């Protein structure tokens, strides 16, 4: 009786397949709705009967088995699934639901200030669905064509950016690590852009300024500006409605690049936030000024712009060291820190090779001014100049700027040995830089500031003392490589000319101009500047700037009575070639 009261179902699979929650039970007395979870199918029936038999006869297995067989044999299904009646009732229910609404021309669906009923809401929803269905731009073919056009626009933009890298940034395009660094920044930007779109956030949160500032700090401001324009154009070409926010993002990125170029210490990272936030505020006003209600969302969008500027500033300070470690790049912040003259390696250079230290400081001022004049990276050039001669720490007494007047150690050794000692300051400098964990840009300056030039003085001296057959010119040649950047080329020219200018007996403007012109042209004729990207116009600017600054440095002062200098002794006179060779 208990099992029949619960209901024994002949085919429980139908209930499970159709996920029926309720069933209608029809008997002679009428209809009754019952919950389908209480019904017993054949699988549940076996379990229920065995459990009852075990409960009644826990100690007598034979009687329990007899009980199970008797009850199971008489417990037949008392609920039979009626497929025909179920189908008929389903059809009747479906016919009672309206599949469309008949609205006549000029018939009002709902009037102004009227409360919308459920029926009117259904009519309005059906009208909107019909409008969307009949929209020719919503057909599968139209959607596929729209997506293909969007993909084509994005692909063309990517190709243009790749062409820029190939033509104008060959150092980035040709180095896998540098190219991966650029792509990593852009991928991070795309992930942030996808998250903004996914959660429906303000488009003014797109971190365009982060792309510009990060790449400008890792490489140079040109790449930062172009990459920022590329990042800003991506959402604009994909979604034309985002032209305004994209323009504001690019302007904020450009402002961030300007901010980072003006920085002179990592602690002033807040200036990037100020530049970016200010650019966002100005750009948002410019974009929204043409709208009907420009003040409605101005405060909200300006707040998002400030948030973006804060993120850019924080990312610049905290994430750049990660990129520096991953891709072995020195950002502008690292270079700024390296200009601190209290760095242990610079203090050691000052103590152990005082003349070389002052030569490096003077050279830093020279290359900074020249790089600014020709549009090269002035900060990078200055840092390279500060550290380019740190290898002279180990044998400072063999270099002219550190020698006492009238004493020259090279007079007691062979020219070949002199060449080896002078040449070793490059190798020693590279090893010392690696021990101090200095960035690659400094190591490049150490290796390239002499290029593959020949120590002409000691080579000629060797020819005079030995037979020409036993003297190999390459034994007096620096190992190189040649300068591979504009900054290294400026360093080479300035280093050569500054060392030679110190040996002039009469450093008049005319003599300095003649010396500068001759030595810079000689480096160009030897091919030492071929790989640096320096142009003829740059060489002209370099020579003029060197003449002006060296003339100022070596300007003669008026000798007061009783302070006239004594004439130099013959032993103290040195040729320009000797001074060049000894100073390295």
């Amino acid at each position: 009786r208990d099992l029949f009261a619960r209901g024994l179902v002949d085919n429980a699979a139908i209930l499970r397949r159709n996920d029926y929650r309720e069933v209608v039970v029809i008997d002679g007395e009428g209809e009754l709705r019952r919950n389908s979870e209480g019904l017993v199918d054949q699988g549940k029936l076996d379990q229920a009967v065995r459990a009852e038999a075990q409960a009644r006869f826990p100690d007598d297995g034979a009687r329990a088995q007899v009980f199970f067989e008797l009850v199971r044999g008489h417990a037949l299904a008392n609920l039979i699934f009626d497929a025909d009646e179920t189908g008929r009732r389903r059809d009747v229910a479906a016919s009672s639901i309206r599949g469309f609404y008949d609205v006549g021309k000029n018939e009002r669906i709902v009037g102004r200030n009227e409360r919308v009923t459920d029926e009117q809401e259904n009519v309005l929803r059906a009208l909107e669905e019909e409008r969307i269905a009949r929209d020719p731009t919503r057909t599968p073919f139209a959607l596929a064509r729209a997506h293909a056009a969007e993909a084509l626009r994005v692909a063309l933009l990517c190709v243009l950016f790749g062409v820029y890298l190939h033509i104008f940034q060959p150092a980035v395009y040709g180095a896998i690590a540098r190219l991966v660094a650029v792509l990593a920044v852009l991928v991070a930007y795309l992930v942030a852009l996808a998250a903004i779109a996914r959660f429906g956030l303000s488009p003014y949160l797109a971190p365009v300024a982060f792309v510009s500032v990060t790449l400008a700090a890792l490489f140079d401001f040109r790449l930062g500006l172009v990459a920022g324009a590329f990042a800003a154009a991506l959402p604009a070409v994909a979604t034309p409605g985002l032209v305004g926010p994209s323009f504001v993002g690019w302007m904020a990125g450009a402002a961030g690049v300007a901010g980072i170029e003006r920085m002179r210490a990592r602690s002033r990272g807040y200036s990037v936030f100020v530049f970016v936030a200010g650019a966002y505020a100005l750009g948002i006003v410019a974009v929204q000024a043409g709208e009907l209600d420009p003040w409605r969302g101005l405060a909200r969008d300006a707040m998002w712009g400030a948030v973006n500027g804060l993120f850019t500033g924080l990312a610049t300070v905290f994430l750049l060291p990660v990129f520096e470690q991953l891709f072995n790049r020195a950002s502008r912040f690292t270079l700024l820190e390296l200009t601190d003259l209290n760095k242990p390696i610079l203090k050691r250079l000052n103590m152990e090779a005082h003349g070389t230290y002052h030569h490096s400081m003077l050279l830093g001022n020279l290359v900074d001014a020249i790089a600014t004049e020709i549009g090269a990276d002035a900060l990078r050039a200055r840092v390279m100049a500060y550290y380019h001669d740190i290898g002279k720490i180990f044998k400072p007494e063999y270099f002219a700027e550190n020698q006492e007047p009238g004493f020259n150690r090279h007079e007691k050794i062979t020219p070949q040995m002199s060449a080896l000692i002078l040449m070793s300051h490059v190798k020693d400098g590279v090893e010392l830089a690696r021990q101090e964990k200095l960035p690659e840009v400094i190591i490049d300056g150490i290796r390239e500031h002499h290029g593959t030039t020949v120590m002409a003085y000691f080579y000629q001296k060797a020819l005079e003392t030995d037979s020409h057959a036993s003297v190999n010119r390459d034994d007096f040649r620096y190992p190189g490589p040649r300068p591979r950047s504009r900054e290294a080329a400026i360093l080479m020219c300035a280093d050569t000319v500054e060392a030679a200018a110190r040996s002039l007996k009469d450093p008049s403007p005319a003599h300095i101009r003649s010396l500068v012109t001759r030595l810079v042209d000689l480096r160009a004729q030897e091919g030492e500047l071929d790989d640096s990207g320096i142009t003829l116009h740059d060489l002209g600017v370099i020579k003029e700037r060197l003449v002006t600054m060296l003339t100022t440095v070596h300007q003669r002062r008026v000798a007061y009575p009783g302070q006239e200098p004594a004439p130099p002794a013959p032993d103290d006179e040195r040729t320009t070639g000797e001074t060049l060779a000894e100073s390295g």
Side-chain angles (χ1 to χ4, degrees):
R1 284 196 302 268
D2 292 341
L3 292 175
F4 287 148
R6 293 175 62 183
L8 299 179
V9 184
D10 66 331
N11 192 350
I14 296 178
L15 296 178
R16 291 194 298 269
R17 184 167 61 247
N18 295 280
D19 195 21
Y20 291 130
R21 297 183 180 179
E22 289 184 339
V23 297
V24 178
V25 178
I26 304 175
D27 55 17
E29 299 179 359
E31 298 182 1
L32 177 66
R33 287 184 175 270
R34 297 179 58 179
N35 194 319
S36 62
E37 293 182 356
L39 303 179
V40 180
D41 58 20
Q42 300 302 312
K44 292 181 179 179
L45 178 61
D46 289 350
Q47 297 176 5
V49 176
R50 288 189 183 279
E52 185 68 22
Q54 184 65 28
R56 290 176 179 268
F57 308 103
D59 300 326
D60 194 339
R63 292 196 179 204
Q65 181 63 25
V66 171
F67 177 87
F68 172 77
E69 292 177 356
L70 286 174
V71 175
R72 186 66 183 83
H74 291 82
L76 302 178
N78 65 338
L79 292 180
I80 310 301
F81 178 68
D82 191 343
D84 295 337
E85 181 64 15
T86 300
R88 186 188 67 80
R89 293 195 179 195
R90 184 184 292 113
D91 294 339
V92 172
S95 64
S96 65
I97 299 176
R98 298 185 61 182
F100 63 92
Y101 296 92
D102 186 9
V103 180
K105 184 177 182 180
N106 297 325
E107 179 181 347
R108 185 177 64 182
I109 299 175
V110 62
R112 180 180 298 178
N113 299 326
E114 291 183 5
R115 184 181 295 276
V116 181
T117 64
D118 292 341
E119 181 72 11
Q120 290 170 330
E121 181 183 358
N122 292 335
V123 173
L124 293 175
R125 291 184 182 278
L127 179 64
E128 178 65 13
E129 292 174 1
E130 186 68 16
R131 184 190 66 79
I132 294 175
R134 295 187 181 186
D135 187 354
T137 63
R138 304 291 298 181
T139 63
F141 176 75
L143 290 176
R145 185 176 59 184
H147 289 315
E150 175 184 333
L152 179 61
R153 293 194 299 269
V154 172
L156 289 175
L157 189 63
C158 293
V159 169
L160 288 176
F161 184 63
V163 170
Y164 165 78
L165 292 178
H166 179 65
I167 297 178
F168 298 102
Q169 296 284 348
V172 176
Y173 187 85
I176 296 298
R178 298 179 182 181
L179 195 59
V180 170
V182 175
L183 294 178
V185 174
L186 292 176
V187 168
Y189 165 75
L190 291 176
V191 171
L193 208 62
I196 291 170
R198 173 66 179 82
F199 296 105
L201 302 177
S202 172
Y204 291 109
L205 282 174
V208 177
F210 167 74
V211 175
S212 299
V213 171
T214 302
L215 294 182
L218 286 175
F219 297 98
D220 59 42
F221 72 93
R222 298 177 186 82
L223 181 57
L225 289 175
V226 175
F230 169 73
L234 275 176
V237 299
T239 308
L242 295 179
V243 172
S246 296
F247 165 74
V248 176
W250 176 79
M251 191 171 69
V257 172
I260 202 171
E261 285 291 312
R262 293 172 59 89
M263 286 179 57
R264 289 296 178 265
R266 187 185 290 265
S267 59
R268 296 182 63 84
Y270 67 87
S271 63
V272 175
F273 160 70
V274 173
F275 275 79
V276 173
Y280 264 110
L282 183 62
I284 289 170
V285 170
V287 169
Q288 295 190 357
E291 297 184 1
L292 295 177
D293 188 8
W295 306 107
R296 182 178 59 185
L298 182 61
R300 181 189 68 250
D301 292 336
M303 180 195 70
W304 290 125
V307 171
N308 198 329
L310 179 61
F311 166 77
T312 301
L314 293 175
T316 300
V317 174
F318 295 108
L319 295 183
L320 268 179
V322 178
F323 284 101
E324 290 178 328
Q325 292 296 324
L326 288 177
F327 303 107
N328 194 25
R329 292 291 301 171
S331 70
R332 295 191 63 80
F333 298 103
T334 300
L335 296 180
L336 285 170
E337 291 177 350
L338 290 173
T339 59
D340 183 5
L341 301 184
N342 290 317
K343 288 290 182 181
I345 187 64
L346 291 181
K347 294 175 71 173
R348 182 182 173 188
L349 181 66
N350 188 15
M351 295 296 295
E352 301 182 24
H354 190 68
T356 300
Y357 174 82
H358 283 281
H359 161 70
S360 300
M361 297 301 107
L362 175 59
L363 213 59
N365 293 329
L366 288 174
V367 298
D368 188 305
I370 296 172
T372 302
E373 191 80 15
I374 69 173
D377 193 328
L379 177 60
R380 183 173 299 181
R382 175 181 285 272
V383 173
M384 292 169 70
Y386 280 179
Y387 294 86
H388 78 287
D389 271 346
I390 59 175
K392 293 182 180 180
I393 288 177
F394 298 102
K395 299 181 181 68
E397 66 277 6
Y398 284 93
F399 299 92
E401 65 269 20
N402 301 312
Q403 293 176 353
E404 297 179 1
F407 181 75
N408 187 354
R409 287 181 176 270
H410 292 279
E411 295 175 354
K412 299 180 179 181
I413 57 178
T414 64
Q416 288 82 356
M417 182 59 66
S418 295
L420 287 176
I421 293 174
L422 296 183
M423 201 178 302
S424 67
H425 87 276
V426 174
K427 178 177 176 292
D428 294 338
V430 172
E431 293 178 355
L432 182 58
R434 296 195 187 281
Q435 292 175 7
E436 296 291 329
K437 294 182 171 51
L438 297 178
E440 285 295 324
V441 62
I442 291 180
I443 296 176
D444 290 341
I446 296 173
R447 297 168 60 212
E448 298 172 10
H449 76 279
H450 283 303
T452 58
T453 56
V454 175
M455 288 173 267
Y457 172 77
F458 290 113
Y459 176 63
Q460 293 297 330
K461 189 175 179 181
L463 291 178
E464 294 172 1
T465 57
D466 299 330
S467 63
H468 285 57
S470 62
V471 177
N472 187 353
R473 182 180 177 87
D474 290 336
D475 292 340
F476 298 86
R477 187 184 301 277
Y478 282 99
R482 294 172 175 176
R484 293 172 294 181
S485 65
R486 302 169 78 196
E487 294 77 19
I490 296 171
L491 177 60
M492 168 181 277
C493 294
D495 184 42
T496 302
V497 172
E498 195 280 328
R502 282 188 279 110
S503 68
L504 289 176
K505 299 182 181 64
D506 180 18
S508 63
H511 289 167
I512 290 177
R513 177 175 295 276
S514 174
L515 178 69
V516 169
T517 302
R518 177 169 56 84
L519 293 180
V520 173
D521 289 345
L522 178 62
R523 291 292 177 260
Q525 293 168 7
E526 291 173 342
E528 294 294 327
L529 308 179
D530 290 352
D531 301 331
S532 64
I534 287 286
T535 65
L536 291 176
H537 175 267
D538 293 339
L539 283 179
V541 174
I542 290 173
K543 288 186 284 190
E544 288 299 322
R545 196 66 177 172
L546 283 173
V547 169
T548 301
M549 298 187 71
L550 290 176
T551 300
T552 303
V553 170
H554 297 284
Q555 181 179 1
R556 289 183 177 276
R557 292 173 175 81
V558 176
Y560 291 96
Q563 296 182 349
E564 292 83 357
D571 292 340
D572 291 337
E573 295 183 2
R574 307 178 190 176
T575 63
T576 299
E578 182 177 357
T579 303
L580 275 173
E582 293 176 3
S583 67

